[in-house]
Amino acid sequence: MIRRFRLFSCASAPPSVEHVDIRELDHRAADTLGTVNAQVDGDRLHLPTPCADWTLYGLIRHQVSDNLGFAAAASGASGDLGSWNRGELGDDPYAAYVDSVGRFAKAFADDAVLDRELEIREFGRFSGKVALGMHMLDCVVHGWDVAQSIGVSYRPDADLVEHALAVAAFIPDGLDSDRPRPAFAPAIGVPEGAPPLDRLLALVGRRASIVR
């Protein structure tokens, strides 16, 4: 993923994460991604993905690593970028994903985490609510990535797309020289009146295909 997150504070967070049950949205987003991941057979893990640097194996490992990294951040870890790269898939990538989602959910179960400032990768410090919004966006987009790779339909709930779109809109376009690592590819053009999912994909540098 190759686009950068803006450092926004809790006060300037997207309205979509401030006025909804962001944990419930994120839970559904993770489940939606999990439903697609469950369809990845072992003999497909070598396939390329819309994330140019990753095969399916690498992309699912990234998902697991990020789940564990967010969980560590919610538990108070800071300054350890290695905690964001510790995902191991073992013999069952789907089981590894499910386990990491469980750890993520447990770490964010306490209401106090929602307003706590968390250190998210090298992107900066964010409220727990904003961090959940970032994670939700990641899940929705990567669900599409995996679905494209294996050629299956992908239909996330409309409200997930709506809120992910609102979060994605807060990511500044282009490259930002004061950030050490990009998060998504630069936005691309999309036809006027395009469906919300197509607009979301365009904001994170992906061109919607015919696989639905």
Side-chain angles (χ1 to χ4, degrees), residues 158-188:
D159 61 335
L160 290 181
V161 176
E162 173 190 347
H163 290 291
L165 187 56
V167 174
F170 263 64
I171 305 173
D173 193 19
L175 298 179
D176 184 356
S177 61
D178 66 351
R179 292 288 176 271
R181 178 181 177 276
F184 286 109
I188 61 176

Side-chain angles (χ1 to χ4, degrees), residues 17 21-27 30 65-77 84 100-121 126-136 139:
V17 303
D21 185 348
I22 188 61
R23 276 186 302 206
E24 190 276 333
L25 284 171
D26 181 73
H27 176 77
S65 294
D66 263 15
N67 288 340
L68 299 179
F70 273 103
S75 300
W84 294 87
S100 70
V101 169
R103 297 187 191 193
F104 174 94
K106 182 177 180 180
F108 280 87
D110 186 349
D111 287 346
V113 175
L114 299 181
D115 294 316
R116 188 182 303 156
E117 215 177 57
L118 313 181
E119 187 169 326
I120 304 301
R121 299 195 66 111
F126 306 85
S127 73
K129 289 178 183 176
V130 171
L132 283 167
M134 294 163 69
H135 184 261
M136 174 196 63
C139 288

